[in-house]
Amino acid sequence: MASIKIHRGSHQIGGSIAEIYTENTHVFIDFGAELTTDPEKSTDAEMIDMIRHARCDAVLFTHYHGDHVGLIRHVPKRDVEGHPIKLGLGKAARMVLENIHGSLADLPHASAEEKKMHEEYLELLRDRDRILDIEGGVPIFLGEARDVKVTPVMVYLHTGGHATADDIAELILTVRPKEVILPIHTEHPEKFRELEIGEYKDLIDELNDSCVVDL
């Protein structure tokens, strides 16, 4: 049996972190930084501490925006049980991130601390032992038991928090989910029930952060 847990993002835009897991395998989806500029309100430190003490075989990133990939350098090389943690990105997303951090590291007015941070990102993104290039439509099996199969679907819209209701409905009708639809990266998950998606409305399940749904 598989389960899904939304660690953060059920009622906010940005800082998305979800987890799909079985008895043997744990896969995180996104590990983004929050958009808040108030350090007292941010839960980034809490999420970093969580993954440092978690079982985790891989973190897959949906795209390269900072609120989805911003905490990638804080993902440890190995999980709490000593298993290596793979970092999965689309090839184009990885190349964009390399260009961003390479350019920022070369800025003449960048401080030594900023240069060091961007160089750490570059080292991580170029680590072929950790980075897993994801291709649309190509299934990948994760974990030592290889019991979590993920088939990436490449779409040309950024859904929750940005796309129109019609765009989200079109995506759902295209993917044709079988188990559950979990709103995330939105301040109004209840709005998903207003989508014109026919029988798929029955699959919508609104979770709060830290809640779990069993599949």
Side-chain angles (χ1 to χ4, degrees):
M1 182 181 72
S3 301
I4 299 176
K5 180 176 183 178
I6 298 178
H7 288 274
R8 188 171 67 181
S10 64
H11 290 79
Q12 70 181 57
I13 295 175
S16 300
I17 302 173
E19 179 183 2
I20 302 171
Y21 61 95
T22 65
E23 181 180 355
N24 302 303
T25 305
H26 291 247
V27 178
F28 284 74
I29 308 296
D30 285 340
F31 204 66
E34 280 193 304
L35 295 176
T36 179
T37 57
D38 186 345
E40 294 186 1
K41 294 182 179 180
S42 174
T43 58
D44 282 351
E46 180 182 334
M47 293 296 102
I48 292 169
D49 184 67
M50 175 274 295
I51 202 165
R52 286 175 176 170
H53 296 86
R55 293 175 62 189
C56 179
D57 295 276
V59 183
L60 307 182
F61 297 92
T62 56
H63 60 291
Y64 58 80
H65 287 176
D67 55 334
H68 294 263
V69 74
L71 300 180
I72 185 173
R73 72 189 182 105
H74 296 288
V75 177
K77 290 185 177 181
R78 295 185 177 274
D79 74 355
V80 69
E81 294 184 349
H83 301 128
I85 301 176
K86 290 288 189 179
L87 303 172
L89 302 101
K91 184 177 180 180
R94 176 175 56 78
M95 292 174 66
V96 168
L97 286 171
E98 284 190 29
N99 286 335
I100 290 172
H101 290 290
S103 298
L104 292 175
D106 290 339
L107 288 176
H109 60 268
S111 67
E113 183 179 355
E114 290 171 334
K115 286 181 179 292
K116 182 176 183 294
M117 178 188 68
H118 294 303
E119 287 168 356
E120 288 177 356
Y121 271 109
L122 288 171
E123 181 180 357
L124 173 60
L125 293 166
R126 293 166 179 168
D127 187 346
R128 304 312 298 165
D129 289 331
R130 297 198 67 191
I131 296 296
L132 176 66
D133 279 339
I134 294 174
E135 298 181 38
V138 179
I140 53 176
F141 294 86
L142 300 166
E144 290 186 355
R146 293 173 60 81
D147 58 343
V148 172
K149 175 185 177 182
V150 177
T151 303
V153 177
M154 299 300 184
V155 294
Y156 296 96
L157 58 89
H158 183 187
T159 52
H162 297 272
T164 67
D166 288 342
D167 287 334
I168 297 174
E170 181 181 356
L171 176 63
I172 291 171
L173 294 173
T174 300
V175 174
R176 294 183 292 178
K178 297 178 181 179
E179 296 287 345
V180 67
I181 297 171
L182 296 176
I184 190 173
H185 194 54
T186 176
E187 294 177 344
H188 299 285
E190 73 281 358
K191 294 289 186 180
F192 273 62
R193 299 191 182 278
E194 300 175 11
L195 297 173
E196 297 295 331
I197 54 175
E199 62 187 22
Y200 293 110
K201 285 187 180 182
D202 295 335
L203 298 181
I204 296 173
D205 192 351
E206 297 175 35
L207 296 185
N208 292 318
D209 287 355
S210 299
C211 289
V212 175
V213 59
D214 295 324
L215 303 179

